[in-house]
Amino acid sequence: MSTDAQLHAGEAIEHRTIDWIPPTERHGRPGSLFFVWFAANTSITALVTGALFVILGNSPLWSIPAIIIGNVLGGWVTALHSAQGPKLGVPQMIQSRAQFGYYGAILPLVLALFIYLGFYATGLVLGGQALGSLLNVDPKVGAAIFAVFSTVLAIIGYRWIHRVSHFATVLSGVVFIVLLFVILAAPQAAATLASGEFALAPFILGISLSASWQLTFGPYIADYSRYLPESTPQRATIGWTFLGSVLGASLAMSIGALAAAVGGAAFSDNQVLYLAGLLGGFGWIVSITVVIGKLVGNTLSSYGGFMSLATIVTALGRKDVVTARSRAVYVVIISAIAYAIAALATDNFLGNFTNFLLFLLYFITPWSAINLVDFYLIRHKEYDIAALFDPNGPYGKVSGLAFIAYFAGILVQIPFMNSSLYVGPIANLFGGAEVAWLIGLVVSGFIFYWFNPARRGSLATRTR
């Protein structure tokens, strides 16, 4: 791996990319993960996701427990990935080579790349609205400016992402809590909250939606813990990640559900403008909060997208080094594609975003199950790090078992699916209730564990 691409303690710009972080460059405390994931989850995109709970048929009051339950379930699974960062010191998707093989990992890498691009694009749409309001320019111009900010921060890298997250957490936390109280104090709020009865199908669908939100962080959550010292307690890494993710997302989504119910068409037409209007003359603070919050989220998507793309390209080119110049080029490419998608966004933004989240969920949960079962139950956290960068190493080029488990997890979900493209017979029988992701998680994890020849003991010893 690269010896000249080092992140020294005093440097502001990160030089490490997809390579291993040696002990001499490890730093930080696990509590910093709270700020990264609270900031990433208290975003306008999370708030829009919360609005979908009401649009899907939940009453405003019953949306909130569905939001919390889904975030807790999905957040716990995702937080388990976070502990892989300090232990292994490599990006999340590089570690997937141990399950899928050196070349086999390209499949989940492509999936991860689509996730980053999708969230980056939706962030540019909403961030563009906020910047357009602040600067009095067209939202597409605002999105272009916003893409530049996200690109620069992703190029600067790890340290500054953490620093901006600290500021964004404080700002978003205060402003979002104020918005919550303002919405609840609205004259029509009491009547709106009292309206609507409990409906099981949209309630379960809502749980799946918020779980989907959390699970989509899985492919890159360890990227932001990989610089922590290897001695960092696993409980602390998991706990701070879980707390930041669940608290942040639950707060933002709850506000979104309430705003959609109380604001109606005014909220649906322009979410940022509606929220800014709630604070009257101080509405500009909301726009700034949206910009800063989405800057964190979009940077994570740009940063993760660059590492996925770089990992794919280097694997095909049989290289394990990415230069600083190449790093910048990769980030610019990711940002350009995301902006092109954002510029083509249709008026049916909320509906398309719902479909996007649920579609991703079907493909992410099998990967997550395989990755976690391998890390915690099969290899017991012990890996040959050097072998992750060797196509001829013990992890092989392609793992047949991983692909069988992965596609079995996808196929078994089909009868339970509920999307705009297809509604499975079991989902239809239960009125559209969505539990496919949970079935896929269990089936993929079970197959990969039960038929794995290494399950009775670790076959790999971490050597470095």
Side-chain angles (χ1 to χ4, degrees):
M1 282 168 279
S2 172
T3 57
D4 60 344
Q6 296 186 8
L7 178 65
H8 299 290
E11 290 184 349
I13 299 178
E14 180 186 9
H15 293 290
R16 291 281 177 188
T17 55
I18 62 173
D19 45 345
W20 177 69
I21 312 299
T24 54
E25 297 178 25
R26 302 292 190 95
H27 62 275
R29 298 179 179 179
S32 65
L33 297 172
F34 172 84
F35 295 96
V36 172
W37 298 113
F38 187 92
N41 281 278
T42 48
S43 69
I44 187 67
T45 313
L47 195 145
V48 168
T49 303
L52 298 174
F53 284 72
V54 174
I55 294 171
L56 291 172
N58 284 291
S59 68
L61 189 61
W62 281 107
S63 293
I64 295 175
I67 286 169
I68 295 172
I69 292 170
N71 275 298
V72 167
L73 293 175
W76 176 248
V77 174
T78 303
L80 291 174
H81 288 292
S82 187
Q84 297 171 338
K87 178 65 178 175
L88 304 179
V90 295
Q92 182 76 71
M93 297 310 291
I94 287 286
Q95 192 258 351
S96 284
R97 290 174 174 175
Q99 298 94 51
F100 288 84
Y102 185 86
Y103 294 113
I106 290 176
L107 174 65
L109 277 163
V110 170
L111 168 66
L113 187 57
F114 277 113
I115 294 170
Y116 303 137
L117 288 172
F119 274 96
Y120 195 176
T122 55
L124 288 178
V125 170
L126 296 168
Q129 289 180 7
L131 267 183
S133 174
L134 277 173
L135 304 177
N136 194 29
V137 297
D138 186 271
K140 290 186 178 180
V141 175
I145 298 171
F146 199 58
V148 173
F149 290 159
S150 303
T151 300
V152 171
L153 186 54
I155 291 173
I156 293 174
Y158 185 90
R159 285 180 180 271
W160 276 97
I161 291 173
H162 275 266
R163 290 173 183 172
V164 173
S165 296
H166 279 67
F167 176 71
T169 292
V170 175
L171 181 63
S172 298
V174 171
V175 172
F176 276 36
I177 289 173
V178 170
L179 284 173
L180 178 62
F181 280 106
V182 170
I183 293 171
L184 291 174
Q188 68 272 37
T192 301
L193 286 173
S195 64
E197 298 179 352
F198 175 78
L200 181 61
F203 183 77
I204 295 176
L205 185 58
I207 291 174
S208 292
L209 191 62
S210 55
S212 172
W213 170 269
Q214 290 292 341
L215 289 168
T216 51
F217 287 114
Y220 63 107
I221 200 160
D223 296 355
Y224 302 95
S225 61
R226 76 189 195 281
Y227 279 93
L228 291 175
E230 188 176 351
S231 60
T232 302
Q234 176 181 299
R235 182 178 298 179
T237 306
I238 294 172
W240 284 115
T241 301
F242 176 81
L243 192 64
S245 294
V246 173
L247 286 180
S250 296
L251 173 62
M253 290 182 186
S254 296
I255 293 172
L258 295 172
V262 173
F267 175 82
S268 299
D269 291 342
N270 191 310
Q271 296 81 27
V272 177
L273 189 63
Y274 173 79
L275 293 171
L278 293 177
L279 296 189
F282 295 97
W284 57 273
I285 297 177
V286 175
S287 295
I288 289 177
T289 302
V290 169
V291 169
I292 299 298
K294 278 316 304 171
L295 179 60
V296 173
N298 277 8
T299 301
L300 298 189
S301 295
S302 179
Y303 186 89
F306 128 71
M307 286 207 288
S308 291
L309 183 59
T311 304
I312 293 169
V313 173
T314 54
L316 294 175
R318 298 288 297 273
K319 298 179 180 180
D320 60 1
V321 175
V322 176
T323 65
R325 181 176 296 179
S326 297
R327 171 200 181 93
V329 170
Y330 284 127
V331 174
V332 170
I333 290 173
I334 294 298
S335 294
I337 296 173
Y339 178 74
I341 296 171
L344 296 173
T346 65
D347 293 334
N348 188 27
F349 173 73
L350 287 175
N352 290 337
F353 186 56
T354 309
N355 298 334
F356 172 70
L357 281 176
L358 292 176
F359 175 77
L360 290 178
L361 188 60
Y362 302 134
F363 295 89
I364 289 175
T365 50
W367 166 84
S368 189
I370 292 167
N371 184 268
L372 291 175
V373 165
D374 186 65
F375 183 77
Y376 287 101
L377 301 181
I378 295 176
R379 302 189 192 275
H380 307 289
K381 310 170 195 172
E382 298 297 329
Y383 290 79
D384 183 339
I385 301 300
L388 294 173
F389 297 87
D390 182 4
N392 299 311
Y395 301 125
K397 293 180 173 63
V398 177
S399 169
L401 176 60
F403 277 94
I404 290 172
Y406 180 75
F407 285 112
I410 294 174
L411 291 173
V412 77
Q413 294 180 75
I414 293 176
F416 301 88
M417 288 180 177
N418 181 11
S419 72
S420 61
L421 299 176
Y422 176 76
V423 179
I426 296 180
N428 190 55
L429 182 64
F430 289 97
E434 169 64 75
V435 294
W437 67 278
L438 190 57
I439 305 296
L441 193 73
V442 173
V443 170
S444 288
F446 174 78
I447 291 174
F448 189 75
Y449 175 78
W450 188 257
F451 294 100
N452 201 306
R455 68 186 176 93
R456 289 183 174 82
S458 175
L459 293 186
T461 301
R462 184 175 185 263
T463 57
R464 182 70 198 179

